[in-house]
Amino acid sequence: IIELEALRKEYRSGEISVAALQGVSFAIAENEFIAIMGPSGSGKSTLMNILGCLDQPTSGRYRLGGREVSSMSDDELAAVRNRDIGFVFQSFHLLPRLNIVRNVMLPLKYSDIEPAEARQRACDMLARVNLENRLEHVPNELSGGQRQRVAIARALVNRPKIIFADEPTGNLDSKTSVEIMELFTELHRAGQTIILVTHEPEIAEYAQKVIHMRDGQIEKVEVNAPR
Amino acid sequence: IIELEALRKEYRSGEISVAALQGVSFAIAENEFIAIMGPSGSGKSTLMNILGCLDQPTSGRYRLGGREVSSMSDDELAAVRNRDIGFVFQSFHLLPRLNIVRNVMLPLKYSDIEPAEARQRACDMLARVNLENRLEHVPNELSGGQRQRVAIARALVNRPKIIFADEPTGNLDSKTSVEIMELFTELHRAGQTIILVTHEPEIAEYAQKVIHMRDGQIEKVEVNAPR
Ligand SMILES: Nc1ncnc2c1ncn2[C@@H]1O[C@H](COP(=O)(O)OP(=O)(O)OP(=O)(O)O)[C@@H](O)[C@H]1O
Ligand SMILES: Nc1ncnc2c1ncn2[C@@H]1O[C@H](COP(=O)(O)OP(=O)(O)OP(=O)(O)O)[C@@H](O)[C@H]1O
Ligand SMILES: [Mg+2]
Ligand SMILES: [Mg+2]
C-alpha cells in the first residue's frame, strides 16, 4: 500500500541546507503494523509528514495505493488526507478555540455523515480514550496527556485505512500507554494499517516490524517476535 | 527549601469545577533530586506550575526558601522566577519568531549580564544539548526532540537554584535521554535542587526520591537506592 523509492528531503533557508532525509526506500503492505525508531532529529517526523501527504519530498518517489502521490491533483490529495489517512501529530495541533468534541469531529466535516452522527462518533472515540468527562473543555484546560489522547481520538474518528501516529504515547503514563496500544492493536486486527513513531522499545514491541532510522536513512529493519 | 501544606487547586469554568489538586503536603530540602510520577491528569503539571510560581493555589500554603509565596509582591515573584527558578515546560513554550540562541538568552534579559556574555552562555548551553549546529534556526525548523532540548537549555542558562522539569525526555530517544539525565545529575552534584516529572521509571531512577500522585493527591513517596 505504501512504496518509497530513494526519498530525499532537504530544507533550505538561505545559505543553510539541512538534509532531513537522505535516500529512504521501503514498502509497507496493507494491514501491516510498523514502528519507526531512531535518534532525535533522524528524520522520523519528516518521513511521516511525507507519507501522510502533508509535505512533499525534494526527490524520489512515493506511491500510495499504487498511485504516484506527486501526480495527484490538490482535490485528490485532500480527499486522501481526509478519508484514507488519520494522523496523530507529535505536537497535537488541536484547535484552541474548539472544545474537544468539535476538535475530534473535524475530520468528519467533509464526509457525508450527518452532524448528529458525527458528534456521536466523536463522543464515542473520546470515551474510548477515557475523556468522556471532559467533553466541554478546550485543549488548554487539559493536561498534556489528555491533549495527546484528543489528538489520537481525532485521528481515528473517520476510521481511516492508514493511521500515522507520531510519538502517540510520549506524554502518557505506562497504564494509559498500554490502553492506547491495546486500542491500536484492536484496530490493526480489524484491518487497519498502522505506522507509529516511538522512542520507547516497549511500545515498538506492539508492531510487527521496527524500522530503525539514523541521519535521514534507514539503518536496519527488525522483525518482532509475534505476540 | 520548599514546603507545601494542604495545597488545593480547583479550576472553575461556569458550572463545571475540576479539582486538580486535592490537598498536597510535602517538603523538599535544598539540593534534593526528586521525581514525580503519576497517571495522566493526576495533577503533576498543576503542582509544578504552583511550585514554579507560575500559578496560585486555591487554598493551602507554599513556602519557598522560608518565605510565604502568597504574600510576595509581583516584583519579588518576578525576581524569584527569573533568578532562582528554571522551568522546562511539558509543551516547551518557545518563542516562534526568535532563533534558538535568542530563545535561550531570554532568562538572562533581566540579569546584570552583558549581552555578549549572555549570548556566549546560551551558545554553550545549546552545545551541551548537542544543538550547536542549529543555532540560527527558529523552533518550527526543528524536530520535536530538538525543541525539547532548547527548552531544557533555556531553563538552565541562568544557573537557577531550583530546576523544575515537566517531562523533559518525553520526545527524546533513549541515548539522548541518558545524555540529558547525566546533565541533570551533574547539576545536582554541583548543588542544584531538581524536581522533575516523568512517566518513565528509568528516568525516575536518577532521582533520590519518587513522589507518586493519583487524582490530585500524593499516594506514596519512594526512596530510590543510591546510585
Ligand atoms: N485550565 C484548566 N481548566 C480546567 N481543568 C484543568 C485546567 N488545567 C488542568 N485541568 C485539569 O486538571 C487535572 C490535572 O491536570 P495536570 O495538567 O496537572 O495533569 P498531569 O498530571 O500533568 O497530566 P499529564 O501526565 O497528562 O501531563 C486534569 O484532569 C486536567 O483536565
Ligand atoms: N523546516 C525545517 N527547516 C530546516 N530543518 C528542518 C525543518 N524541519 C525539520 N528540520 C530538520 O530535519 C531533521 C529531521 O527532523 P525530524 O523532525 O524529522 O526529526 P525526528 O526524527 O522526528 O526527531 P524527534 O525524535 O526529535 O522528533 C532535523 O535535524 C531538523 O532540525
Ligand atoms: Mg519527530
Ligand atoms: Mg502534565
Side-chain angles (χ1 to χ4, degrees):
Chain A
I1 196 170
I2 284 174
E3 292 167 276
L4 296 177
E5 233 178 282
L7 217 67
R8 288 176 187 285
K9 179 71 182 182
E10 195 179 308
Y11 291 106
R12 275 246 163 101
S13 58
E15 289 275 326
I16 312 178
S17 158
V18 176
L21 292 177
Q22 307 199 39
V24 172
S25 306
F26 62 74
I28 295 176
E30 201 165 346
N31 199 217
E32 275 202 294
F33 189 162
I34 307 290
I36 301 176
M37 297 188 78
S40 175
S42 53
K44 308 180 295 295
S45 297
T46 302
L47 177 60
M48 292 284 274
N49 289 338
I50 291 171
L51 291 175
C53 299
L54 302 163
D55 194 11
Q56 308 227 14
T58 309
S59 68
R61 298 167 67 183
Y62 172 27
R63 273 188 296 277
L64 176 63
R67 291 158 64 200
E68 203 66 49
V69 175
S70 52
S71 58
M72 287 187 189
S73 69
D74 283 352
D75 283 352
E76 287 176 291
L77 278 171
V80 164
R81 260 184 246 131
N82 239 309
R83 202 193 47 215
D84 300 335
I85 287 174
F87 207 108
V88 186
F89 292 92
Q90 188 169 5
S91 54
F92 318 156
H93 293 323
L94 301 177
L95 298 195
R97 296 209 201 122
L98 300 185
N99 68 26
I100 65 175
V101 178
R102 299 178 68 209
N103 256 290
V104 174
M105 281 169 74
L106 280 175
L108 300 174
K109 210 164 146 212
Y110 302 108
S111 71
D112 41 15
I113 295 175
E114 293 293 324
E117 161 76 7
R119 186 180 170 83
Q120 188 56 50
R121 273 214 219 171
C123 293
D124 291 348
M125 202 46 92
L126 284 164
R128 304 236 18 215
V129 297
N130 294 325
L131 286 175
E132 66 278 2
N133 56 355
R134 290 274 184 279
L135 298 181
E136 299 303 322
H137 289 239
V138 291
N140 75 359
E141 290 171 345
L142 297 178
S143 76
Q146 290 168 338
R147 283 177 215 164
Q148 188 151 40
R149 284 181 269 156
V150 177
I152 291 167
R154 183 181 64 182
L156 304 180
V157 76
N158 60 340
R159 297 168 199 165
K161 294 208 197 98
I162 310 179
I163 298 163
F164 294 102
D166 197 347
E167 308 263 8
T169 62
N171 283 284
L172 302 177
D173 59 277
S174 339
K175 177 159 173 292
T176 312
S177 298
V178 168
E179 288 167 12
I180 292 301
M181 293 314 295
E182 287 177 347
L183 170 57
F184 280 137
T185 300
E186 199 179 310
L187 296 167
H188 176 234
R189 289 203 188 116
Q192 272 164 322
T193 305
I194 303 184
I195 298 156
L196 80 83
V197 171
T198 181
H199 67 258
E200 296 181 64
E202 313 82 39
I203 299 295
E205 304 222 330
Y206 285 83
Q208 295 164 322
K209 283 186 198 152
V210 184
I211 294 174
H212 292 270
M213 290 186 69
R214 179 174 296 281
D215 297 329
Q217 296 187 312
I218 294 183
E219 197 178 40
K220 65 174 173 181
V221 179
E222 246 186 323
V223 177
N224 279 339
R227 294 176 72 87
Chain B
I1 196 169
I2 284 176
E3 293 167 274
L4 297 177
E5 232 178 283
L7 215 68
R8 289 177 187 283
K9 178 71 184 181
E10 196 179 308
Y11 291 107
R12 276 246 164 98
S13 59
E15 290 273 326
I16 313 176
S17 157
V18 177
L21 293 177
Q22 309 200 35
V24 172
S25 306
F26 63 75
I28 294 176
E30 202 164 348
N31 199 216
E32 275 202 294
F33 188 162
I34 307 290
I36 301 176
M37 296 188 79
S40 175
S42 54
K44 307 180 294 295
S45 297
T46 302
L47 177 60
M48 293 284 275
N49 289 339
I50 291 171
L51 291 175
C53 299
L54 301 163
D55 193 11
Q56 308 226 15
T58 310
S59 67
R61 298 167 66 184
Y62 172 27
R63 272 187 299 277
L64 177 62
R67 290 159 64 202
E68 203 67 49
V69 174
S70 53
S71 54
M72 286 185 187
S73 68
D74 284 353
D75 284 351
E76 288 177 291
L77 278 172
V80 164
R81 260 184 246 130
N82 238 310
R83 201 194 47 216
D84 301 334
I85 287 174
F87 207 107
V88 185
F89 292 92
Q90 188 170 5
S91 54
F92 318 157
H93 293 323
L94 301 176
L95 298 195
R97 297 208 200 122
L98 300 184
N99 69 26
I100 64 176
V101 179
R102 300 178 65 207
N103 256 290
V104 174
M105 280 168 74
L106 280 175
L108 300 174
K109 211 163 144 209
Y110 302 107
S111 70
D112 40 17
I113 294 176
E114 294 292 325
E117 162 74 8
R119 187 180 170 85
Q120 186 56 47
R121 273 215 220 171
C123 293
D124 291 348
M125 203 45 93
L126 284 163
R128 303 229 28 208
V129 296
N130 295 325
L131 287 174
E132 64 280 4
N133 56 354
R134 288 274 182 280
L135 298 181
E136 299 304 320
H137 289 240
V138 291
N140 75 358
E141 291 171 346
L142 298 177
S143 77
Q146 289 167 339
R147 284 177 215 165
Q148 187 151 41
R149 284 182 269 156
V150 177
I152 292 167
R154 183 181 63 182
L156 304 179
V157 75
N158 60 341
R159 298 168 200 165
K161 293 207 196 97
I162 309 178
I163 298 163
F164 294 102
D166 197 346
E167 309 263 8
T169 62
N171 283 284
L172 302 177
D173 59 276
S174 337
K175 178 159 173 293
T176 312
S177 298
V178 168
E179 288 167 13
I180 293 300
M181 293 314 295
E182 288 177 345
L183 170 57
F184 280 137
T185 300
E186 199 178 311
L187 295 167
H188 176 234
R189 287 203 189 115
Q192 272 165 318
T193 304
I194 303 183
I195 298 156
L196 81 83
V197 171
T198 181
H199 67 258
E200 296 181 64
E202 312 81 41
I203 299 296
E205 304 222 330
Y206 285 82
Q208 296 165 321
K209 282 186 198 152
V210 183
I211 294 174
H212 292 270
M213 290 186 68
R214 179 175 295 282
D215 297 328
Q217 296 187 314
I218 295 183
E219 196 177 41
K220 65 175 173 180
V221 180
E222 243 184 326
V223 178
N224 278 340
R227 296 178 70 88

